[in-house]
Amino acid sequence: MLPAPTARSVDGLHLEVDESTADRRLLRLTAERDLTDLGSGHFADPTGGVLWPRHEMDHGIEWCGFAFTQFALPVTAGSDLDFDFAPTPGLHSPSVVLPLLGRLDDRVTLLAPLAAPHEQIIAVSERGLRWGWHGDLATVPAGFATELGWYEADDVASALTSWRHDLGLDDGMPSHDTTSRRSTLVSHLSYWTDNGAAYWYRTEHGRTIVESVVDVVAALDGDDIPVRSVEIDSWWYQHEIPRPIAEIGYPDDVPPTGLMRWEPRADAFAPDAGLPDLRSVHERLGGRPLILHTRHLSPSTPYVAEWVDSEWWVEEFAAQPADPTAFRRWFDDAAAAGATVIELDWMMVTWFCVRALRRQPGRALDWQRALDRLAGERDIDLVWCMATPADLIAAAELDRVVAVRTCDDYRFAEDPAFLWRWFLMVNRLAGALGLTVFKDCFFSSADVGDGSDAIDGDPHAEVEALLSALSGGPVGIGDRIGRTDREVVMRTCDDDGRLRRVDRPIAAVDDCLFGQGADDDRLTWAITTATRPDGVWTYVVAIHASTDRTPIGDGFGFDGDRFVVDWRSGDARIADRIDADLGPRDWALWVVAPPGVTSLPPDADPSRYVVVESAHPEDLARRADAAAPHEAVQN
């Protein structure tokens, strides 16, 4: 599929290509001596490595890549490499992908990093695909090396499984499916105040944000909606340029400047409560665990002068202590406030706005490993947000990262289907890495109310709830007080708020990762599984996410007759195929039994999206491989 690569020589670098098997090759780029003043100074202009010339590639290849930007933006292309790295206003990525999947006829190619994921890139150019060290890497010690796996397989699942094995994820690295379950955030329903939610820099009339959040959680308790933790977003602390806090409605467009102090912002708290105190918020919320948001530091932060025991990298748009253990005091403060999770947001901004992190190898990974250790010391968990693909790959070895976001903010895009596809495509990558994913918060009511800004609900609430429930990760609602649809919310969890288990994140099937299959000519199909003693149950979701606003008829086949339940109608039948004819933004869900099983088990609950859930953690050995949809289902 890919032509033989052409070496791109640089004095002092050694390129080795290990072609021990036809289906697995290894490219290794090594510094033969200490090197300085390396690189072009342009991130997307790689140093050394190889070039796969565009004009030598087979015609008809379809590509799916993960862009080196926030939430690993998925981008697709044909054989002319026409990736769109700016698919919607407000979103732009360098012309860089990694990992990269290609498909031609019945064969799949995967190019994916094995060592030092932050330091290597595949740049897309007029000449072709260029792999090497990113152009901001300036100083490297002798012996530093990056490795790229080059896999050929019959399908995406097999390629990802080979990569996962080579990463060592089958050989002793933490299982995020088990470690994340200790966190209430991942195991039970939560309430969120982040971008897209009702109380993100917004309040009810005559109340502060804190008072609004306390009131909405009390109202949820009164309606028997079992929220077990609460996310406190960036409105709680001090920024370089603070966003205004207003009554319900969208806040003014203020650039997302960096953090000044990770301390309460007085006007977000009750004005007569004295010194603002997060601990008192925790207590007013009934002792529920808090999830505390944080972000990149402003270059003007007073911490530069106050944390005198730290060297600092201070640049135009962000700052970072060279020794990340300086953040230990934040973990102490979080634990004292009743927090059990810190959400690290704007990770992409820290990476791209603190160039010092990119000038020497290993600095980004050292920063993230240090946060993981600090979190372990204080029994705090972490959520990665706006992470690059390299951050996701690194997170696979970090025990305290209990969830990663895999699409941009709720209501970020004019068409929500853009985010649904994003989520389902990146979940193939996250699932291969064994990561627990989070789709973001959502409104549960389909009734948008009388306001023009749709702050009271979402006509697509059920799709948001469905995808959240099948993510295998956190489910967070962000409703305005009195606007929660209990029936929809309770489809995602048990009566006590416990989230029902699936084996892995719901993710797009192969045909919906590539070319036209990822765009307009068919429904978006996605699956996940639930492994039990009687076999592997499969959930199949179809969504009309196309920009073509006419109905689409499409089908999905199995490798034999199966017992199939149409979740929305309740109809059950034996079939070797399911078909759907859906209008724009409509959806369907089917529950598919293992071979030979012809009824739902006694513990099934058809009122929930996860009708039949996975075995308990002690039965994990029965589970299918985390990298792929089960081989018994095909499209």
Side-chain angles (χ1 to χ4, degrees), residues 127-159:
R127 296 180 60 196
L129 299 172
R130 298 185 296 151
W131 171 74
W133 295 349
H134 67 71
D136 286 332
L137 188 59
T139 303
V140 297
F144 170 71
T146 58
E147 294 180 347
L148 181 78
W150 179 359
Y151 305 93
E152 303 281 344
D154 292 332
D155 51 44
V156 172
S158 299

Side-chain angles (χ1 to χ4, degrees), residues 613-629:
E613 65 174 330
S614 297
H616 290 278
E618 58 267 25
D619 298 322
L620 284 173
R622 298 189 181 98
R623 292 193 174 192
D625 187 276

Side-chain angles (χ1 to χ4, degrees), residues 493-506:
C493 62
D494 287 339
D495 290 345
D496 63 354
R498 187 185 68 86
L499 303 176
R500 296 171 67 83
R501 303 179 187 90
V502 292
D503 291 340
R504 63 181 66 84
I506 181 80

Side-chain angles (χ1 to χ4, degrees), residues 391-456:
D391 300 326
L392 298 185
I393 294 166
E397 69 168 63
L398 303 179
D399 181 56
R400 305 305 301 202
V401 179
V402 294
V404 297
R405 278 269 304 278
T406 50
C407 69
D408 219 315
D409 294 351
Y410 177 54
R411 303 196 298 159
F412 162 77
E414 182 177 352
D415 184 348
F418 176 75
L419 298 178
W420 302 338
R421 283 178 170 166
W422 189 336
F423 176 70
L424 294 171
M425 294 171 75
V426 178
N427 283 356
R428 286 301 296 270
L429 171 62
L433 295 167
L435 299 173
T436 300
V437 309
F438 179 36
K439 187 197 65 62
D440 201 7
C441 68
F442 62 94
F443 291 157
S444 64
S445 173
D447 180 5
V448 301
D450 298 329
S452 61
D453 56 9
I455 198 68
D456 287 343

Side-chain angles (χ1 to χ4, degrees), residues 209-427:
I209 299 182
V210 166
E211 291 168 333
S212 300
V213 173
V214 169
D215 287 350
V216 74
V217 171
L220 293 171
D221 286 345
D223 291 335
D224 198 24
I225 299 171
V227 164
R228 295 291 180 253
S229 58
V230 179
E231 190 261 0
I232 306 296
D233 207 70
S234 60
W235 51 263
W236 80 267
Y237 55 80
Q238 302 168 30
H239 293 207
E240 180 180 355
I241 302 176
R243 289 183 185 269
I245 294 175
E247 292 183 4
I248 287 296
Y250 276 102
D252 293 338
D253 185 17
V254 176
T257 55
L259 179 153
M260 291 293 280
R261 287 187 180 276
W262 207 53
E263 298 173 9
R265 173 180 171 173
D267 59 346
F269 291 69
D272 58 351
L275 185 67
D277 178 18
L278 274 177
R279 184 72 192 183
S280 67
V281 177
H282 169 66
E283 293 168 354
R284 293 172 69 186
L285 290 170
R288 288 173 173 83
L290 302 181
I291 302 109
L292 293 184
H293 182 282
T294 189
R295 66 168 64 200
H296 61 290
L297 287 157
S298 165
S300 302
T301 176
Y303 295 140
V304 173
E306 293 173 3
W307 296 1
V308 294
D309 52 346
S310 297
E311 175 190 353
W312 281 84
W313 299 316
V314 181
E315 304 194 20
E316 183 178 2
F317 297 108
Q320 179 81 351
D323 180 1
T325 59
F327 289 114
R328 176 177 281 110
R329 64 205 81 195
W330 283 10
F331 288 89
D332 293 342
D333 291 346
T340 59
V341 178
I342 293 176
E343 177 192 13
L344 181 59
D345 201 356
W346 295 91
M347 293 182 70
M348 177 268 291
V349 171
T350 302
W351 168 250
F352 279 114
C353 291
V354 181
R355 191 167 185 173
L357 279 174
R358 309 192 302 280
R359 291 185 61 82
Q360 292 186 17
R363 284 179 170 177
L365 186 57
D366 288 346
W367 161 48
Q368 293 166 23
R369 284 174 171 168
L371 294 183
D372 193 67
R373 290 194 298 272
L374 294 173
E377 291 174 8
R378 271 303 192 175
D379 197 21
I380 298 282
D381 290 318
L382 299 166
V383 172
W384 273 185
C385 192
M386 292 183 72
T388 70
D391 300 326
L392 298 185
I393 294 166
E397 69 168 63
L398 303 179
D399 181 56
R400 305 305 301 202
V401 179
V402 294
V404 297
R405 278 269 304 278
T406 50
C407 69
D408 219 315
D409 294 351
Y410 177 54
R411 303 196 298 159
F412 162 77
E414 182 177 352
D415 184 348
F418 176 75
L419 298 178
W420 302 338
R421 283 178 170 166
W422 189 336
F423 176 70
L424 294 171
M425 294 171 75
V426 178
N427 283 356

